[in-house]
Amino acid sequence: MTRAAGGGRKGGKQLASTAPSCELITRIDPPNELIDDNAVSIWQTTSKILIERKLLTLDHAPMLMSYCNSFSRYLEAEKMLSDQGLTISTASGGEKKHPAMNVRQDALSSMTRLGSLLGLDPLSRARMSSGTGGDGDDGANEFEEFKS
């Protein structure tokens, strides 16, 4: 099989499905840098998920903090848009997109990127647990069970 340059992880290279046991964290308190109570709540929920999956190490803490703060900003922007609408009036009497739309989109992009790095979305979780990098080059037909 020919692969394009930058075509992803080459077959045969194994990824660790969990962090090394010497680095695993079994409990971590929310940092003071979390921006509000929503971020703290998200930290508690998400850190518990990562601990149960044996993926949380101390070097993940800054990424998790950024994820939680982004999630909180996303929620704040959503509430603002729900309360105030999607547009605002300009000084000239016209309408323009509410600035919270940009905040919402930036927070969502950040959450998506960081969540993937932490293994929170289904695709990255599958790649982390399979150990194959997700390229499907193992020779098995992944749809075999659906054949009649």
Side-chain angles (χ1 to χ4, degrees):
M1 176 176 183
T2 306
R3 296 173 87 54
R9 184 170 297 279
K10 308 300 183 256
K13 292 186 179 178
Q14 296 294 316
L15 295 175
S17 61
T18 61
S21 61
C22 62
E23 296 178 11
L24 284 176
I25 293 176
T26 57
R27 185 178 184 287
I28 187 166
D29 292 324
N32 295 331
E33 294 82 8
L34 292 172
I35 59 175
D36 59 19
D37 290 340
N38 277 335
V40 171
S41 177
I42 295 162
W43 173 278
Q44 291 167 336
T45 302
T46 308
S47 64
K48 181 179 177 186
I49 291 168
L50 293 173
I51 288 169
E52 288 173 356
R53 292 180 185 164
K54 297 182 177 7
L55 294 175
L56 188 61
T57 61
L58 192 56
D59 58 334
H60 291 115
M63 257 193 308
L64 180 56
M65 184 187 68
S66 294
Y67 173 83
C68 295
N69 284 338
S70 293
F71 202 140
S72 184
R73 284 191 180 100
Y74 172 82
L75 293 174
E76 184 179 344
E78 279 291 325
K79 179 163 180 16
M80 188 177 288
L81 291 168
S82 177
D83 293 345
Q84 300 174 12
L86 300 177
T87 59
I88 60 170
S89 298
T90 63
S92 62
E95 295 283 315
K96 72 174 192 174
K97 180 170 70 169
H98 197 294
M101 293 286 285
N102 293 334
V103 172
R104 177 191 168 278
Q105 188 58 41
D106 290 346
L108 183 60
S109 295
S110 179
M111 283 170 39
T112 303
R113 186 178 58 255
L114 292 166
S116 180
L117 291 172
L118 289 166
L120 294 172
D121 67 280
L123 182 58
S124 65
R125 187 168 50 250
R127 285 182 181 153
M128 292 172 118
S129 65
S130 72
T132 62
D135 62 2
D137 250 355
D138 60 1
N141 183 349
E142 64 186 281
F143 299 106
E144 189 67 36
E145 67 182 293
F146 298 108
K147 287 184 176 180
S148 50

